[in-house]
Amino acid sequence: MMIARLIGVFAACIAVAGCQEKVASSEPIRPVLSMVVAPLEAATVAVVGTVQPQFKTDYGFRMLGRLIARPVNVGDTVTAGQALAAVDPFAAEFAVRSSLAELSTAQGQLVNAAATAARQRILIETGATTQATLDAAEQSNAAAQASVVRAQSNLTKAREQLSYTKLNAEYGGVVTAVGVQVGQIVNPGQTVVTVARPDIREAVIDVSDDLAGALRIGMPLTVTLQLDPQRRASGKVREIAPQADQITRARRVRITLDSPPETFRLGSTITTLIPGQRAHGFRLPATAILTRDGQSAVWLIDPANGSVTLRVVQFTSNGDGTVDVTAGIDAGARVATAGVHHLKEGQKVRLEQEPAA
């Protein structure tokens, strides 16, 4: 009777152990969200700027005067030699007439002095005059010649001053600015008209110091028209300002455009695409990070058997619900992105969906 009771107790223990083993071995397959990680793409920065001429000239007078003509306005096309502006030429014309009169007087005096010197040379041969008289005549002749040279120089200078009363275009271009209206007094060197060459255009942008540090002279860039992004032009960095502007704290960058379309007119607003440097690491949702025992880890999913393995990683937070994992995983690894606190080592999972990496 005792033996039968022991056999019953033993059989009951075996049954209970079998049930526990069955419960332990039948861990449920948990559905998880996951993604395949890929290297971070290089971010492209778009900077707005304008189309400007590479070559332009600020025309101004070399003399003080009242502006009496300015036949061009902003946007007008001018040709080489075309008149741009003029100041009152009365004083300059008067100086020319005065110089002409002085030259005529000097030339007449030279004729008389030369004739006197010639007569004195003839008389000295016959002894009818003295050497002192001849020397005086020669000196008067030399002085008359010097007066003619001085008068000719004054006439040349006066005519040059008269030419300064008019401004003519040195090359064909487009008027981009005017600084003085007809009737105003113009100071020497004051900009009256600005003419730019439209054939050589460049994109001008202002960037921060960090972005300017990533640019290099000769670096190729792509420029698009803001009104029509499909209109594109290639260019190369020509100039980077060595210092930032004191007011805007930005550095000016000039990009020479290579055969831009006609729609890239002077003053047009453009967008310059500056490729960023490729970042190191992989971007994941912050929900993929499991913090345990002072360490951060992610669950890697084995595509062969669907089990998960915990992997310690290093990451930096972006503050927008994502993190950049810098160490611990490789490109192409599948990582669980949700429910990471409910997974166990070696547990089987079922993939629900795969967001774009």
Side-chain angles (χ1 to χ4, degrees):
M1 190 70 179
M2 179 63 72
I3 295 175
R5 185 175 296 176
L6 290 176
I7 293 175
V9 172
F10 183 72
C13 291
I14 294 176
V16 172
C19 291
Q20 292 179 349
E21 182 179 356
K22 182 177 181 180
V23 172
S25 61
S26 60
E27 188 73 27
I29 298 177
R30 181 176 295 277
V32 296
L33 300 178
S34 66
M35 64 180 291
V36 177
V37 297
L40 291 174
E41 296 290 338
T44 299
V45 181
V47 182
V48 177
T50 57
V51 177
Q52 296 185 12
Q54 182 173 338
F55 302 103
K56 65 178 180 180
T57 302
D58 295 329
Y59 289 92
F61 292 100
R62 304 185 188 184
M63 58 187 298
L64 180 69
R66 182 176 64 87
L67 191 69
I68 61 173
R70 199 207 66 216
V72 297
N73 293 296
V74 175
D76 291 348
T77 301
V78 298
T79 58
Q82 181 175 339
L84 301 177
V87 294
D88 190 352
F90 177 76
E93 290 176 347
F94 180 81
V96 171
R97 291 196 297 268
S98 177
S99 297
L100 283 171
E102 291 179 0
L103 177 60
S104 180
T105 300
Q107 289 175 338
Q109 292 175 350
L110 176 61
V111 171
N112 291 334
T116 300
R119 286 195 302 271
Q120 292 299 322
R121 293 190 197 97
I122 295 174
L123 293 175
I124 196 65
E125 294 178 356
T126 60
T129 187
T130 62
Q131 184 64 39
T133 304
L134 175 61
D135 292 342
E138 293 285 359
Q139 185 176 2
S140 297
N141 184 44
Q145 291 178 347
S147 296
V148 170
V149 173
R150 182 173 60 253
Q152 289 176 338
S153 298
N154 290 337
L155 177 60
T156 301
K157 182 179 179 180
R159 285 174 172 170
E160 183 180 4
Q161 291 292 325
L162 179 60
S163 68
Y164 293 161
T165 62
K166 296 181 180 180
L167 290 179
N168 297 320
E170 298 178 358
Y171 53 82
V174 177
V175 178
T176 59
V178 293
V180 181
Q181 302 298 326
V182 174
Q184 289 183 306
I185 301 300
V186 182
N187 294 317
Q190 182 179 356
T191 299
V192 177
V193 178
T194 300
V195 177
R197 289 183 56 180
D199 53 338
I200 304 179
R201 288 162 283 174
E202 60 184 12
V204 179
I205 58 177
D206 294 323
V207 301
S208 63
D209 280 333
D210 295 339
L211 196 56
L215 300 176
R216 297 291 182 270
I217 300 297
M219 179 179 177
L221 295 175
T222 301
V223 179
T224 65
L225 196 64
Q226 193 174 56
L227 293 178
D228 186 4
Q230 300 301 322
R231 301 286 184 177
R232 298 191 168 210
S234 59
K236 293 182 179 180
V237 177
R238 180 180 68 87
E239 178 183 301
I240 303 175
Q243 294 181 345
D245 185 86
Q246 294 182 354
I247 299 177
T248 63
R249 307 308 302 169
R251 294 170 63 180
R252 177 147 293 187
V253 178
R254 298 182 179 274
I255 306 163
T256 301
L257 301 178
D258 183 16
S259 300
E262 292 296 330
T263 51
F264 279 67
R265 298 183 179 89
L266 297 180
S268 300
T269 303
I270 51 87
T271 301
T272 302
L273 305 178
I274 302 177
Q277 297 181 350
R278 183 178 294 276
H280 176 69
F282 311 93
R283 182 156 297 175
L284 296 175
T287 55
I289 302 299
L290 173 65
T291 302
R292 180 181 295 173
D293 299 331
Q295 291 185 326
S296 299
V298 296
W299 289 106
L300 297 184
I301 301 175
D302 188 348
N305 54 25
S307 61
V308 294
T309 303
L310 194 63
R311 178 71 60 84
V312 176
V313 296
Q314 297 178 1
F315 71 93
T316 58
S317 177
N318 297 320
D320 58 355
T322 64
V323 296
D324 290 340
V325 177
T326 57
I329 57 177
D330 299 322
R334 182 175 290 276
V335 177
T337 58
V340 295
H341 296 85
H342 303 289
L343 298 177
K344 299 179 180 179
E345 185 70 26
Q347 184 177 0
K348 302 287 186 178
V349 295
R350 182 177 71 251
L351 306 181
E352 288 296 311
Q353 63 179 16
E354 181 183 344

